[in-house]
Amino acid sequence: MRDWLAVRRAATPDTLALLDATTDDRRTYADLDDAVEEVAGKLQALGVNAGDAVGVVMETRPAYVELLWAVQRLGATLVPFNARLTPAELIDQRTTIDPAVLVTDRDHEETAVDAGGRTPVVSVDEPTLAETRWLDATTPQTVESVGVSLSDTAAVLFTSGTTGEPTAIRVTARNVLASAVASAFRLGVVPDDRWLLCLPMYHMGGLSIPIRTMVYGTTTVLHGEFDPGPILRTLRERSITGVSLVPTMLERLLDAGPVDDSLRFALVGGGPTSAELAQRALAAGVPIHPTYGMTETASQITTATPRDVEAAPDSVGRPLVGTDLAILDGAGSRLDRGEQGEIAVSGWTVSPGPVSESSRRTDEWFRTGDVGYRDEKGRLYVTGRASELIVTGGENVVPGDVRAAILAHPAVEDAAVVGLTDAEWGERVGALVVTTEPVSKGTLRSFLEERLAGFKLPRTVAFADALPRTHSGTVDREVVRDQLREAER
Ligand code: ATP
Ligand code: MG
């Protein structure tokens, strides 16, 4: 295929491609394509060739979107690193990838240089450190676009590291294109669409936004930092029609004030949206679309519509077109509707796998590691992760069930439920609980005894001001375990 941005420019050169809501910086597809051509020429002059990896350490900004397309124009692979990593963590990931260059900006230059090793570090801003080259000072070369092959690795993205170390996942051009098309069939596309990008581009949910609006010929509006007040203003003043959020962002938006009614969809995913939050959003007029997705499937697997939410507020809806779902038991056999097991996926959005492994077979189900079930209408419910399943005295406990019971207590704000190694029972249930006012362990226990079978009751309970989280904002279950063990001493 021809370079995607070149095709887009030929079709709609004057359409707004990018609008930075904070600086009012705007680019049409013709402007973006010109900028990308220049950046591609500069990267080439720095020695980037087809097949090379280009590492990026930045938060969301227009230059990030230029890099995305410049890297594709060169037939190279974009590798967005989590911009919040420490230099030591970044060294580990850089070593896994071995990029030809590391592109950064003023805010991340120090970390990039610290972690860069022998990799040249290039900044999109004027550098402050001697080790850094300035992209702007590089004289561009003429670029001969190599075109795009659907099996090319478009990007390598790291998973969030919720269950262990983050894994580097290959995402192909076919994966992102299939995802863009399938998403449009669920959400619809109209010519004046403006999709607000307030997520990091080093996670699939963020990176997919500028890719999709380019495929559709619509506009990405950037709002780098998430601050509910300014985001509400941007939604209103920039006539935003779509937005992608994680559940805590949605909660903070609803707390901050009314959401403008120009919004056609609010995709909410990355972690569980409680039925309560989904209903609250609907009541506030927010067209919420709870979504289940992951890095390994180039984002969305299932997306619920507001009508689904009305009928089943704790569901994540049905699979997107081109994605097939199965619920499997431990032996890999398909389970029936209503039965709980591991969620498995097949389709064009499924990645060929981590960079550390050879490509997976595409005729086999990809096992997500998540546990869930489907109702008679085919809607999916995600109940937790297979690795988080607690086996206590031979009984299986889904942490999500226990968490839901704890959250039902009016004074409980949040909770994390984990398995702790136990000499007698193999594992026992532990809960770290965040409350809005003091609650005694005894009161909580009596409350839970009415709702949970005896073997599901948390044996170890501790209270905290907030749950410990990973860089990606997911609950850091290892630290939860440590805190619970600490509390027992
Ligand atoms: P790692 O794979 O490194 O442990 P991770 O799985 O958190 O980290 P991501 O790919 O960013 O990395 O997140 C995908 C996971 O997030 C899914 O596998 C699922 O566990 C969880 N998730 C996403 N959306 C939802 C949702 N709507 N409800 C429940 N869980 C969700
Ligand atoms: Mg995962």
Side-chain angles (χ1 to χ4, degrees):
M1 298 172 102
R2 268 176 67 203
D3 176 292
W4 293 352
L5 182 63
V7 175
R8 168 49 56 206
R9 178 200 189 137
T12 55
D14 303 326
T15 301
L16 194 60
L18 267 187
L19 167 63
D20 185 333
T22 356
T23 61
D24 206 40
D25 180 26
R26 37 185 89 217
R27 283 151 219 221
T28 63
Y29 280 102
D31 299 335
L32 179 62
D33 186 60
D34 286 342
V36 163
E37 185 67 17
E38 198 176 320
V39 174
K42 287 175 177 173
L43 290 175
Q44 194 178 56
L46 290 164
V48 176
N49 290 306
D52 284 345
V54 174
V56 184
V57 192
M58 301 196 300
E59 292 292 348
T60 301
R61 52 183 283 179
Y64 214 132
V65 180
E66 290 172 5
L67 279 168
L68 161 68
W69 299 120
V71 167
Q72 185 183 64
R73 188 152 292 177
L74 294 172
T77 300
L78 186 81
V79 187
F81 291 106
N82 190 318
R84 288 162 209 176
L85 298 181
T86 63
E89 292 167 319
L90 186 55
I91 287 173
D92 281 347
Q93 298 194 355
R94 193 225 348 120
T95 315
T96 310
I97 302 297
D98 192 22
V101 293
L102 212 46
V103 186
T104 189
D105 61 8
R106 180 159 306 128
D107 291 345
H108 304 87
E109 191 188 345
E110 239 181 272
T111 307
V113 166
D114 278 355
R118 293 221 303 269
T119 312
V121 175
V122 187
S123 179
V124 298
D125 297 319
E126 202 177 335
T128 57
L129 302 172
E131 294 91 331
T132 317
R133 299 187 60 168
W134 190 17
L135 196 60
D136 260 18
T138 309
T139 315
Q141 298 175 351
T142 334
V143 176
E144 250 181 73
S145 175
V146 294
V148 185
S149 169
L150 284 179
S151 56
D152 285 349
T153 302
V156 169
L157 270 100
F158 284 83
T159 60
S160 297
T162 310
T163 53
E165 285 305 309
T167 313
I169 302 294
R170 276 178 286 166
V171 180
T172 63
R174 173 185 281 109
N175 295 152
V176 295
L177 186 59
S179 178
V181 172
S183 178
F185 278 106
R186 183 61 40 91
L187 301 171
V189 180
V190 290
D192 290 335
D193 269 345
R194 292 176 158 207
W195 200 322
L196 182 66
L197 168 55
C198 53
L199 294 172
M201 283 179 64
Y202 42 81
H203 291 313
M204 208 54 241
L207 185 68
S208 60
I209 295 171
I211 297 177
R212 287 166 180 194
T213 56
M214 189 283 305
V215 171
Y216 307 154
T218 56
T219 307
T220 288
V221 178
L222 279 94
H223 201 304
E225 215 163 313
F226 187 85
D227 199 354
I231 293 275
L232 284 179
R233 205 171 322 125
T234 293
L235 289 173
R236 192 170 58 238
E237 288 172 4
R238 307 289 186 174
S239 310
I240 302 298
T241 57
V243 61
S244 302
L245 302 166
V246 298
T248 43
M249 288 177 165
L250 174 64
E251 199 148 7
R252 291 176 61 196
L253 278 185
L254 292 173
D255 287 344
V259 176
D260 195 71
D261 60 10
S262 62
L263 210 57
R264 281 201 310 112
F265 63 84
L267 270 194
V268 183
T273 302
S274 66
E276 192 194 5
L277 179 60
Q279 283 164 327
R280 184 178 166 207
L282 270 196
V286 176
I288 182 171
H289 288 67
T291 291
Y292 166 59
M294 60 198 305
T295 314
E296 294 90 330
T297 59
S299 79
Q300 287 158 280
I301 297 169
T302 68
T303 290
T305 62
R307 277 181 64 181
D308 290 325
V309 175
E310 274 170 26
D314 47 354
S315 151
V316 285
R318 297 179 183 82
L320 299 191
V321 65
T323 291
D324 205 2
L325 272 190
I327 306 294
L328 305 178
D329 68 11
S333 304
R334 279 185 94 138
L335 292 168
D336 289 331
R337 292 280 156 96
E339 290 184 314
Q340 188 156 258
E342 185 172 357
I343 303 166
V345 185
S346 80
W348 284 0
T349 62
V350 181
S351 147
V355 289
S356 58
E357 291 170 21
S358 51
S359 290
R360 57 176 287 281
R361 287 177 51 179
T362 50
D363 57 346
E364 282 175 1
W365 288 105
F366 165 67
R367 302 185 75 124
T368 61
D370 293 316
V371 176
Y373 64 93
R374 298 180 82 180
D375 64 17
E376 68 290 348
K377 294 265 169 62
R379 295 187 203 99
L380 181 71
Y381 300 76
V382 183
T383 47
R385 301 199 190 223
S387 62
E388 291 167 6
L389 194 75
I390 305 167
V391 185
T392 174
E395 297 280 1
N396 286 353
V397 178
V398 178
D401 294 348
V402 181
R403 179 170 181 267
I406 299 173
L407 289 183
H409 191 286
V412 172
E413 192 175 277
D414 208 351
V417 176
V418 296
L420 298 167
T421 313
D422 188 277
E424 193 179 354
W425 303 102
E427 276 184 300
R428 66 177 177 283
V429 180
L432 188 65
V433 183
V434 181
T435 59
T436 47
E437 54 189 83
V439 179
S440 76
K441 287 185 189 175
T443 316
L444 186 61
R445 187 174 173 90
S446 325
F447 179 81
L448 294 176
E449 274 170 351
E450 287 172 24
R451 288 169 173 77
L452 294 171
F455 66 90
K456 292 186 185 174
L457 288 173
R459 307 279 152 191
T460 305
V461 174
F463 297 97
D465 294 337
L467 297 180
R469 296 194 180 267
T470 65
H471 287 294
S472 310
T474 54
V475 173
D476 194 329
R477 306 178 73 82
E478 267 320 302
V479 178
V480 170
R481 280 193 191 91
D482 290 345
Q483 293 187 2
L484 287 170
R485 281 188 215 109
E486 192 64 30
E488 275 180 331
R489 291 226 182 94

